[in-house]
Amino acid sequence: MNRAWAVARMQMVNKWIYLGVPAIVLVASTGLALAILAVIPNDDGATRLAFSGQALMWYFLAIGVQSMMLAFPFSQAMSVSRRSFYLGTLGLYTALSMAVGVIYWLLGLAEQATDGWGVDGHIFALPWIAESPWFAQILLYFALTILLFMFGFWFATVYQRWRVLGLVASLTAFGLLILGGVAVATWTDSWPAVGAWFVQLTPLALTGWLLLAGVVLAAGSYGTLRRATP
C-alpha cells in the first residue's frame, strides 16, 4: 500500500493536468452555458437544459489516457510493480471521481437556490437526477466520471500492450459491438422495449449498471497491464 500511495503521489506531480485544467474546463463550460442561456429568451417558461457542465467528466477520458501514457513508462524505470501502479492510479482517480460527484451535487444545490443561476437554467441540477436523494446524485456523477476514466485508461493499456494494431482492433471491435446491438434491436423490433427499459431506469439503477461496466473495464485493464511494456 505504501508503494501504491507513492504512485498516487507520482501521478499528482503535474498538478496542472489533474487539478488546474479540470478547474478551467468546469468554469469555462459553465460560463459558456450561462452566457448562451442568458441571451436566449424564455418567455414560455420552459425547462432549459444545458449539458456543457458535464464537460469535466469527459476530460477524465483524456486523463485516463494520460495517466497511462505519461506515468507508466516512468514508473517502470523506477522499478514500480505493475500491481502497485494499477492500485495507486485507480485509487487516486476513484478519489478524484468521488470529489467530482460531490462538487456537482453542491453546484446543483447552488443552482436550485439561485433559480438556475438567475437565468432559469439547468446545468447541474438536471430534473431527473435532482429529484433523487443526495447520495444517489453523488454516486451517479461518480459512476459516470470513473467509467469515462476507465475507458481512457483501458484503451491506453491496450496501446501499451499491442501498440497501434491492438488499439485499432479494439476500437473496431467496440464499434462492431455497438453496431451489432443496434442491428439486433432493429431486426427484432425491440426498440420500444429498449426505450421502455430506459424510461423505467432510476438514477440508482443507472448507477449500478455504470459501476458494473466500470468494474469490467477495470478488470480488463489490469489483465492487459500485467503484460504491457513501456
Side-chain angles (χ1 to χ4, degrees), residues 4-211:
W5 174 249
V7 170
R9 293 178 61 188
M10 179 190 69
Q11 292 277 16
M12 291 296 294
V13 167
N14 191 344
K15 293 181 175 59
W16 177 254
I17 292 178
Y18 302 110
L19 296 178
V21 174
I24 292 175
V25 169
L26 180 61
V27 173
S29 60
T30 303
L32 180 62
L34 292 176
I36 294 175
L37 291 174
V39 299
I40 297 177
N42 189 30
D43 299 331
D44 56 359
T47 301
R48 303 199 296 175
L49 306 177
F51 297 98
S52 60
Q54 282 67 51
L56 175 58
M57 296 180 182
W58 289 100
Y59 178 70
F60 268 70
L61 180 68
I63 287 182
V65 176
Q66 294 181 38
S67 64
M68 181 66 187
M69 302 300 293
L70 299 180
F72 178 68
F74 180 74
S75 71
Q76 296 306 286
M78 298 296 292
S79 300
V80 176
S81 69
R82 287 168 173 78
R83 181 173 179 271
S84 296
F85 174 80
Y86 177 81
L87 291 176
T89 302
L90 185 60
L92 170 64
Y93 289 103
T94 298
L96 290 177
S97 298
M98 182 57 69
V100 170
V102 173
I103 290 171
Y104 271 61
W105 171 64
L106 292 175
L107 289 173
L109 293 179
E111 185 173 278
Q112 292 174 316
T114 57
D115 192 21
W117 310 106
V119 294
D120 194 26
H122 296 270
I123 302 175
F124 303 100
L126 300 178
W128 181 68
I129 301 175
E131 295 169 359
S132 305
W134 64 272
F135 60 88
Q137 299 178 47
I138 294 176
L139 285 176
L140 178 56
Y141 291 131
F142 162 77
L144 284 169
T145 305
I146 195 66
L147 178 62
L148 289 171
F149 167 79
M150 291 310 308
F151 260 110
F153 188 79
W154 183 74
F155 280 118
T157 58
V158 169
Y159 176 82
Q160 288 292 117
R161 176 67 178 87
W162 292 290
R163 302 302 174 185
V164 175
L165 182 60
L167 180 61
V168 172
S170 63
L171 289 172
T172 302
F174 182 69
L176 290 175
L177 182 63
I178 295 177
L179 182 61
V182 172
V184 170
T186 301
W187 292 335
T188 59
D189 295 325
S190 300
W191 284 115
V194 172
W197 182 78
F198 275 107
V199 169
Q200 294 174 359
L201 272 180
T202 64
L204 274 179
L206 178 58
T207 298
W209 285 107
L210 294 175
L211 290 177

